[in-house]
Amino acid sequence: MSESEDKKIDRRKFLARGAKAALSIAAASIIAKTLYDKTGPSGEPETGLVSLPDFSVPAKDGQVISVVKGSDRIQTVDKAIDSLGGIERFVKPGDVVVIKPNVAFTTAPGLGATTNPNLVAEVVRLCYTRGQAKTVYVTDNPINDAESCFALSGVGKAAAQAGAKVILPKDRFFKKTTLKGGKLIKNWPILYEPLAKANKIIGIAPVKNHSRAGASMTMKNWYGLLGGRRNVFHQDINLTITELAMLVRPTLVILDGTEVMMTNGPTGGSFSDLRRKDTMIASCDQVAADAFGCTLLDMKIDDLAYLSMAEKAGVGKTDYQSLKPANL
Amino acid sequence: MRIVTARRISQVFFFALFIWLCIVTAVGDKFWQLRHWPVNLFLSLDPLVAIGTILTTQTLYWHLLLALATIILTIILGRFFCSWVCPFGSIHHFVGYLGKRSKPAGQRIKLNRYRKAQGIKYFVLAFLLAGAAFPSISATLQTGLLDPIPLVSRSVNLVLLPIADKPFALLAVTQRLYELAGLIFAVFAAAVLLNLFIPRFYCRFVCPLGALFGVVSRFAIWRIGKNKQACTGCKFCEQHCEGGCEPATTIKIAECVLCFNCRDDCKKMDDCISYQTVASRAGEHTNPDISRRGFILSVASGVLAVPAIRLAGKVGKGWYYKVVRPPGALAEAEFLKRCIKCGQCIKVCPTNVLQPAGIEGGIEGLWTPILNNRIGTSGCQYNCVACGSVCPTSAIRAISLDEKMGKGKFASKGPIKLGTAFVDRNRCLPCSMNKPCIVCEENCPVSPKAIYTAETFNAVRNGRLTVKKAVGSTSLTTGVNTIETAENGLPVDKYGTGDYYCIVEGLSGQMRHPEGEQRWKIRSNTENTILCEGKFETVPAEGAKVIIQVRLQRPLVDIERCIGCGVCEHECPVSGLKAIRISAEGESRSYDRQLLL
């Protein structure tokens, strides 16, 4: 505005301009007051933590674990679950079930590094037909590329054909959790999205040799729910597996010892790494399942430190024989 | 139907087709993922790709035969590709339209006048092709830097689609990351925004493919021109002229992009412009308007630039160890003769490990594919050959899984190695931090594993303690021994994780794990007692020294088995500078980078 125009300003204009100026000053001050932060950022805040409910159901007639021999996974898993009271015992009409197979690697189904797709499909089918589940989700956060793992392991297709919804681990599906009484799982992202919708969770894992942990079975399978830079947990793998078993209290675990990966685990990659053991385990107690599983790998319970650590933490029993496994 | 309407339909159709083909350049079993979609259609239609690789390799790779159709059609019709097919041209066309639509006709006509600088694109073409044309000196294919089809392919694939997909995660489960996406985007954005300054800026001044079409279209049978000599000279025909080819006066055929706007605009006025087999009644310039001196200078610069760049030695002795190429990639010099930086391999890679390179492999390697195992969802996926199967120029050969893994008839050759994993023992947790880890070995996908371990037992810090009282177990097998220490203040239960053991100094003669040394696994500890498994043959006396050890498995690489896939590097928890890294030594594709005898 030029000087000559400035001189022409009348009272009305002056007042209007003064009012606008006052409003602007007030607005700026209010914004400053509202956003005023005296302390500054506090590092990573532990907010929005989620926690997992107890998904377990009590065993029927004290029958916690069953072990079935046979080479046909469909038959053995049906029988194993029936021995615990049938799938109806675990999945009620209208339930939302998460099935957590081990889909860690981009290997073909026959190589045993991932959960057998037909086994996953059979459990999905049982949940729907006899359990009358509303929805069955199948999910995992694999080590190799997620989409490729679900495709190449055959689990994605088999689960989808059986009617399950396959949930791939998108970044936004992870939420942070802290295990109560835990030392390691603190403020750590887990694959929460499918778990949040579910009221039952069933873990299905193959029996595999594992160089760091000794063996990878149903307890180690929960590692696939972790996100973030989870490989740092290998520094203390036994406590990590113990805490995972404390974190996830499953409805049911199924341990597939039909073909056991004896060497070169957990990736395998060759048929020569596998040995037929023709065993299927279904259990409400993941510690007992894994304790039995380690015998299939010709290991002793003491060889897997996490078993006794989990027992000490009250997750389950290592002395599976005292639980009198059905059919054994 | 007006011909410009037909043109617009064609542009929209080809643009949509192009975007669709970008989307389907993905591995998977859904209908929109790589299932015989002609994902290289536009690159195959691009004669600059074909001519460039013909100059460097003296062969026409079969993927590129379609370019002959484009050349033939251009000879008959003129530069139809620019205004009817080219997706990059359509973007310029549209943005240019946005920029000039509110301007008065007079100003539009001014914007669309011919400029001498439109000759620059011919110099760009001459420079790039000259650099490719003399393999006996040294040839490199750099047309992809500015060739519009590779340029728009990598811009859409590596920048625009990942941005568009970010909120939805429909195309990729994990957010795709691309190094140098910013630079790719900057070039793309600059090219697009320049349309607001002068419409079709890129097409008129820069585009080497347009220049090539300009040269070829001098023979065009049909061409735009005046059908009568007398015209009112209203210049209305130039207000929407895309090529800046001056149809109002003596038309410059090499600049005409066949948008047909002049004909459409003139219809309302004089109706004196048509698409015809005879020369324009007002005369025409068929040759590009460039000086001989400029042309010679461009060719000479191109010929000399390549050996100048090669003085850096990046293709030979000075090769950079991080330039790890995808499986099936040709040896570096041959690779650079074919790679057009289109980014198809990088887009299709299911693990996102393939990245557009910077200049670490030399200036000529900009935006060529290299592996970065830190980015992405995994290293190079063991059973995947997607990159080679989409490469339009065979810079990466279309290998089979058998060839990649060294199976079947390739058994005698062994698997394709991308490089070799090297353990950085300064950073490795079990090697230098006394921490168990061995994630690398665990994830090695080769069977038997290319990473194996050496077991050692290392004394922990402040772990030499004095026995106050020891109680041996009575049971032979599962007994628990108790050692009470004189020291008080052990971290409670720190040693009970299954990774810690103790030995008693002097009990078995030696401290450092000889065969048969007595070592007990620690089950738990308090501030001053250690519980350990096993059986003491001799109960340690008071005052004896007990040493706490951590069991470590240290990684060793079996260089004859390692394929350089980088899964170990990807999984290594030392996430900044990884403690195991792939270096290109030993890569199968080059003879001079072999490491083994």
Side-chain angles (χ1 to χ4, degrees):
Chain A
M1 196 179 285
S2 73
E3 207 181 330
S4 58
E5 277 175 307
D6 205 30
K7 277 177 186 161
K8 282 185 206 155
I9 191 162
D10 57 26
R11 183 177 297 136
R12 183 187 294 268
K13 275 186 183 160
F14 175 78
L15 286 176
R17 196 192 285 177
K20 281 179 195 162
L23 276 175
S24 309
I25 290 167
S29 308
I30 288 167
I31 290 169
K33 171 91 169 59
T34 328
L35 302 179
Y36 185 64
D37 176 10
K38 199 178 170 186
T39 49
S42 63
E44 200 179 346
E46 291 196 22
T47 53
L49 290 182
V50 296
S51 59
L52 295 185
D54 187 347
F55 293 102
S56 64
V57 295
K60 189 187 182 190
D61 306 328
Q63 193 60 56
V64 172
I65 180 170
S66 79
V67 179
V68 175
K69 294 280 177 187
S71 60
D72 183 337
R73 288 184 174 89
I74 310 291
Q75 285 175 13
T76 52
V77 78
D78 284 354
K79 195 173 169 198
I81 295 174
D82 281 344
S83 311
L84 299 180
I87 194 77
E88 301 86 344
R89 171 100 207 115
F90 303 100
V91 179
K92 303 284 181 213
D95 274 0
V96 177
V97 184
V98 164
I99 290 179
K100 163 66 180 76
N102 182 340
V103 197
F105 302 105
T106 52
T107 46
L111 291 167
T114 49
T115 304
N116 184 282
N118 300 331
L119 177 60
V120 176
E122 175 63 10
V123 179
V124 172
R125 200 187 60 76
L126 286 177
C127 290
Y128 275 124
T129 53
R130 286 171 52 191
Q132 301 281 305
K134 187 171 132 215
T135 317
V136 179
Y137 295 108
V138 171
T139 196
D140 191 16
N141 180 25
I143 294 171
N144 296 157
D145 179 65
E147 219 172 341
S148 307
C149 284
F150 272 92
L152 295 174
S153 69
V155 170
K157 200 173 179 186
Q161 276 175 354
K165 285 187 183 155
V166 175
I167 305 234
L168 295 177
K170 295 187 177 183
D171 296 341
R172 65 168 187 270
F173 292 170
F174 289 86
K175 296 263 186 308
K176 287 183 176 178
T177 193
T178 290
L179 174 67
K180 216 175 159 191
K183 266 160 82 177
L184 302 179
I185 301 178
K186 276 185 181 165
N187 212 14
W188 200 273
I190 55 164
L191 183 48
Y192 184 67
E193 169 81 8
L195 299 175
K197 299 177 189 163
N199 58 345
K200 298 287 161 62
I201 179 166
I202 299 174
I204 314 178
V207 179
K208 296 198 287 178
N209 157 272
H210 192 282
S211 47
R212 174 74 182 103
S216 170
M217 295 178 284
T218 65
M219 291 164 70
K220 173 73 170 65
N221 184 31
W222 306 126
Y223 203 83
L225 293 177
L226 295 173
R229 311 163 295 109
R230 61 183 172 186
N231 287 347
V232 294
F233 284 123
H234 273 55
Q235 289 167 59
D236 194 347
I237 195 74
N238 290 309
L239 188 54
T240 303
I241 296 174
T242 305
E243 292 200 358
L244 282 169
M246 292 161 74
L247 182 74
V248 187
R249 281 157 292 173
T251 315
L252 179 68
V253 291
I254 292 160
L255 184 59
D256 179 9
T258 310
E259 285 170 296
V260 173
M261 184 184 289
M262 304 298 289
T263 50
N264 216 48
T267 50
S270 165
F271 293 114
S272 61
D273 297 321
L274 304 178
R275 204 185 300 164
R276 282 207 85 86
K277 297 270 176 165
D278 289 341
T279 310
M280 186 69 70
I281 301 134
S283 177
C284 305
D285 179 340
Q286 44 182 330
V287 180
D290 286 7
F292 184 88
C294 75
T295 63
L296 299 176
L297 286 163
D298 304 335
M299 298 177 99
K300 296 190 303 289
I301 287 165
D302 274 351
D303 292 336
L304 299 177
Y306 61 79
L307 290 177
S308 44
M309 288 163 75
E311 183 169 43
K312 210 168 135 190
V315 179
K317 273 189 155 177
T318 56
D319 184 7
Y320 61 88
Q321 272 159 335
S322 71
L323 297 171
K324 301 196 171 51
N327 309 312
L328 194 63
Chain B
M1 188 167 58
R2 285 156 66 200
I3 191 153
V4 289
T5 312
R7 188 206 71 223
R8 283 179 198 133
I9 292 170
S10 170
Q11 284 178 299
V12 169
F13 170 76
F14 280 110
F15 185 74
L17 180 65
F18 172 76
I19 297 293
W20 177 249
L21 293 178
C22 286
I23 289 171
V24 301
T25 309
V27 182
D29 49 12
K30 300 194 185 73
F31 78 95
W32 56 270
Q33 292 167 324
L34 208 61
R35 293 161 74 91
H36 303 290
W37 290 100
V39 293
N40 287 331
L41 179 66
F42 287 86
L43 292 159
S44 309
L45 281 171
D46 179 346
L48 189 51
V49 176
I51 290 171
T53 49
I54 286 175
L55 287 176
T56 51
T57 67
Q58 291 86 49
T59 56
L60 177 64
Y61 183 55
W62 69 272
H63 271 232
L64 306 174
L65 187 60
L66 214 49
L68 186 61
T70 315
I71 290 284
I72 291 170
L73 276 174
T74 306
I75 289 172
I76 299 170
L77 301 174
R79 287 175 66 177
F80 77 101
F81 191 87
C82 306
S83 277
W84 291 69
V85 180
C86 179
F88 204 32
S90 299
I91 295 173
H92 296 310
H93 198 138
F94 182 66
V95 177
Y97 157 77
L98 291 181
K100 70 182 179 189
R101 81 194 146 137
S102 56
K103 291 189 172 124
Q107 216 174 327
R108 284 204 293 251
I109 291 167
K110 231 175 172 176
L111 278 175
N112 289 333
R113 73 180 190 278
Y114 175 77
R115 294 166 176 85
K116 186 73 183 158
Q118 284 174 237
I120 290 173
K121 62 177 174 288
Y122 300 100
F123 299 143
V124 170
L125 177 69
F127 175 81
L128 293 173
L129 290 185
F134 298 97
S136 51
I137 306 172
S138 51
T140 183
L141 187 58
Q142 295 298 315
T143 53
L145 287 172
L146 294 172
D147 185 345
I149 304 298
L151 193 159
V152 74
S153 293
R154 68 173 173 263
S155 303
V156 170
N157 278 330
L158 309 188
V159 185
L160 302 183
L161 282 183
I163 294 175
D165 191 42
K166 190 174 167 64
F168 312 107
L170 292 173
L171 304 181
V173 172
T174 319
Q175 168 74 45
R176 302 279 291 196
L177 302 175
Y178 297 108
E179 287 182 277
L180 276 132
L183 186 60
I184 292 171
F185 183 63
V187 171
F188 176 80
V192 170
L193 290 177
L194 281 167
N195 290 301
L196 302 177
F197 173 53
I198 296 173
R200 285 237 187 201
F201 184 98
Y202 192 86
C203 313
R204 290 185 196 179
F205 301 105
V206 186
C207 183
L209 179 59
L212 178 67
F213 286 137
V215 173
V216 175
S217 68
R218 60 186 291 192
F219 309 116
I221 295 170
W222 274 277
R223 47 189 73 185
I224 294 285
K226 284 193 191 161
N227 52 29
K228 54 184 176 188
Q229 203 142 23
C231 115
T232 57
C234 67
K235 285 209 164 191
F236 239 57
C237 52
E238 289 186 10
Q239 64 167 331
H240 297 113
C241 174
E242 288 290 312
C245 56
E246 304 204 312
T249 53
T250 314
I251 188 168
K252 295 184 168 54
I253 294 297
E255 303 302 318
C256 172
V257 294
L258 235 57
C259 67
F260 288 100
N261 283 340
C262 54
R263 184 166 177 264
D264 195 58
D265 284 332
C266 190
K267 254 196 165 142
K268 297 165 221 157
M269 314 298 290
D270 256 4
D271 200 10
C272 62
I273 290 182
S274 50
Y275 189 46
Q276 56 198 17
T277 50
V278 291
S280 174
R281 292 292 163 88
E284 57 187 24
H285 299 290
T286 48
N287 285 354
D289 178 18
I290 51 169
S291 66
R292 178 172 300 177
R293 192 184 298 174
F295 177 73
I296 292 169
L297 202 62
S298 313
V299 171
S301 324
V303 171
L304 288 174
V306 183
I309 291 170
R310 287 282 161 93
L311 288 178
K314 296 279 191 183
V315 177
K317 271 188 183 172
W319 65 276
Y320 188 55
Y321 69 95
K322 275 189 177 177
V323 180
V324 179
R325 298 285 186 199
L330 302 176
E332 191 67 8
E334 292 302 306
F335 179 84
L336 292 171
K337 283 180 185 174
R338 286 175 181 266
C339 179
I340 52 166
K341 314 165 193 285
C342 62
Q344 293 288 83
C345 51
I346 297 169
K347 169 67 166 60
V348 82
C349 175
T351 70
N352 196 199
V353 68
L354 268 187
Q355 295 289 323
I359 57 169
E360 55 269 58
I363 293 170
E364 42 185 331
L366 182 69
W367 296 330
T368 56
I370 58 170
L371 277 78
N372 179 339
N373 293 309
R374 283 181 68 209
I375 293 184
T377 55
S378 178
C380 176
Q381 197 161 293
Y382 190 47
N383 38 20
C384 174
V385 287
C387 48
S389 77
V390 298
C391 180
T393 62
S394 199
I396 310 169
R397 286 187 304 117
I399 53 171
S400 64
L401 271 179
D402 271 2
E403 183 174 359
K404 187 182 179 194
M405 295 180 168
K407 288 178 181 164
K409 63 176 178 174
F410 297 97
S412 59
K413 282 182 79 181
I416 289 180
K417 283 167 70 84
L418 309 185
T420 308
F422 288 82
V423 180
D424 184 341
R425 296 193 182 276
N426 287 324
R427 301 182 65 83
C428 173
L429 295 177
C431 297
S432 74
M433 316 279 184
N434 257 5
K435 294 275 184 204
C437 178
I438 214 64
V439 173
C440 51
E441 183 260 11
E442 183 186 318
N443 285 288
C444 176
V446 180
S447 175
K449 286 177 187 293
I451 302 176
Y452 60 106
T453 60
E455 184 182 63
T456 67
F457 291 85
N458 260 29
V460 304
R461 193 177 186 195
N462 301 327
R464 188 166 181 267
L465 307 165
T466 311
V467 176
K468 192 171 169 193
K469 189 181 161 201
V471 181
S473 94
T474 46
S475 154
L476 277 172
T477 50
T478 57
V480 176
N481 310 293
T482 312
I483 301 172
E484 208 177 310
T485 60
E487 293 83 355
N488 201 343
L490 300 180
V492 175
D493 263 352
K494 182 179 178 182
Y495 302 123
T497 64
D499 293 315
Y500 294 90
Y501 292 74
C502 60
I503 59 167
V504 176
E505 204 176 282
L507 198 65
S508 53
Q510 284 167 296
M511 256 182 65
R512 287 187 187 278
H513 56 91
E515 282 296 314
E517 187 185 30
Q518 285 188 37
R519 180 178 288 118
W520 303 283
K521 194 194 233 176
I522 299 176
R523 185 170 279 186
S524 64
N525 70 283
T526 65
E527 286 197 327
N528 63 350
T529 50
I530 300 164
L531 294 171
C532 51
E533 296 169 4
K535 183 178 177 295
F536 287 143
E537 282 180 7
T538 322
V539 176
E542 186 181 347
K545 295 290 181 190
V546 60
I547 294 166
I548 298 177
Q549 295 179 326
V550 58
R551 173 177 173 263
L552 299 170
Q553 294 159 295
R554 289 176 169 167
L556 289 160
V557 177
D558 183 341
I559 190 170
E560 297 190 37
R561 297 209 61 83
C562 178
I563 56 171
C565 68
V567 170
C568 52
E569 181 176 349
H570 183 266
E571 298 303 326
C572 175
V574 185
S575 53
L577 175 61
K578 297 282 188 172
I580 186 165
R581 301 189 292 276
I582 306 300
S583 172
E585 279 102 347
E587 57 175 8
S588 305
R589 69 187 186 116
S590 46
Y591 168 77
D592 54 348
R593 299 177 193 179
Q594 297 308 311
L595 193 54
L596 284 178
L597 287 171

